[in-house]
Amino acid sequence: MQVMNIKKFSFTYHGVEHPSLRDITLPIKKNKITALIGPSGCGKSTLLNILGLLDSSFEGEFLFEGKATNSISSNQLSDIRNKKIGFIHQFFNLIPELSVLENIILPGLINKKKESVVTKEACNLLQIFGILDKKNIKPNKLSGGEQQRAASARALINTPDLILADE
C-alpha cells in the first residue's frame, strides 16, 4: 500500500528562475524505508518539507493515502501532520522555553490525548532513548545527540504512520 505518491513533481522557490526539484516520481510505501540521497543543496530538505505537508506550492501530482493533497483543507492537513506524520527536522526545532518532556508531550496534547497518558508515553520514549533523566531540562542544555533523541521521541509520540527524518 502506498502512503504517498508523487508524479511528475516539480518545485520552484518564489523569485528563482530554475526549479529546485524537477520531474520527480516517487512512491512511498507503507512499512518500507525510503532514503533520499544527494549532495548538499540538491533539494532533499525541500522535498521532505513538501512530503511533510509543510509546503503546497508545487507542480504535479501529490497523493497522500490516495487523496490529492491540493484538495485537502488546511485544517485537515494540520490534522494529518499531527496524527499521521512524525517529522525529525535537521535542526530539531525543539522549543527552547519548554523542557524536554514538555516538547515531547506537546503534539500529544494537540492531538487531544490526556496529559497523564501522553506524559507516561513520553517517559517511556525517553527511557527507550536513554534520556529520561533529562526530562526536566531545557533543550539548550542537552548535547546535539540528546537533542536529536528528544526530537525523535517527539516525532514518535502520536505513533504516526510515517516518519520523515532530515539528515
Side-chain angles (χ1 to χ4, degrees):
M1 177 183 163
Q2 290 182 356
V3 176
M4 294 182 170
N5 194 16
I6 59 174
K7 295 179 184 173
K8 297 186 179 181
F9 181 89
S10 297
F11 176 83
T12 305
Y13 283 102
H14 181 73
V16 176
E17 189 175 326
H18 300 289
S20 298
L21 303 168
R22 183 181 1 204
D23 198 28
I24 297 172
T25 296
L26 176 67
I28 298 177
K29 297 180 180 182
K30 189 172 181 136
N31 299 321
K32 298 290 180 188
I33 295 173
T34 301
L36 302 174
I37 300 169
S40 181
C42 74
K44 299 180 302 290
S45 295
T46 298
L47 182 56
L48 283 176
N49 284 333
I50 293 167
L51 293 175
L53 305 174
L54 297 172
D55 195 335
S56 60
S57 55
F58 56 83
E59 295 177 30
E61 182 178 27
F62 178 13
L63 303 176
F64 183 86
E65 295 182 338
K67 188 170 185 181
T69 59
N70 61 0
S71 69
I72 302 173
S73 74
S74 297
N75 287 341
Q76 289 172 316
L77 289 173
S78 293
D79 197 46
I80 290 168
R81 278 191 303 270
N82 183 260
K83 293 178 180 173
K84 296 186 177 237
I85 300 173
F87 207 120
I88 305 168
H89 296 273
Q90 184 174 10
F91 300 106
F92 313 129
N93 291 358
L94 297 169
I95 300 169
E97 296 82 13
L98 300 180
S99 70
V100 169
L101 180 62
E102 291 167 332
N103 267 281
I104 295 167
I105 68 170
L106 186 59
L109 296 175
I110 291 169
N111 200 14
K112 298 183 171 65
K113 289 183 177 181
K114 287 185 179 182
E115 186 172 357
S116 61
V117 171
V118 75
T119 298
K120 183 178 179 183
E121 292 170 354
C123 287
N124 287 338
L125 287 167
L126 286 167
Q127 180 69 41
I128 290 167
F129 282 105
I131 55 170
L132 180 59
D133 61 324
K134 311 285 186 187
K135 72 180 182 181
N136 296 315
I137 295 175
K138 302 283 193 237
N140 66 341
K141 300 292 185 191
L142 300 177
S143 71
E146 291 167 335
Q147 288 181 34
Q148 186 174 41
R149 288 183 269 162
S152 298
R154 181 186 56 196
L156 293 169
I157 195 67
N158 286 332
T159 57
D161 296 334
L162 178 68
I163 299 286
L164 298 173
D166 194 0
E167 306 237 358

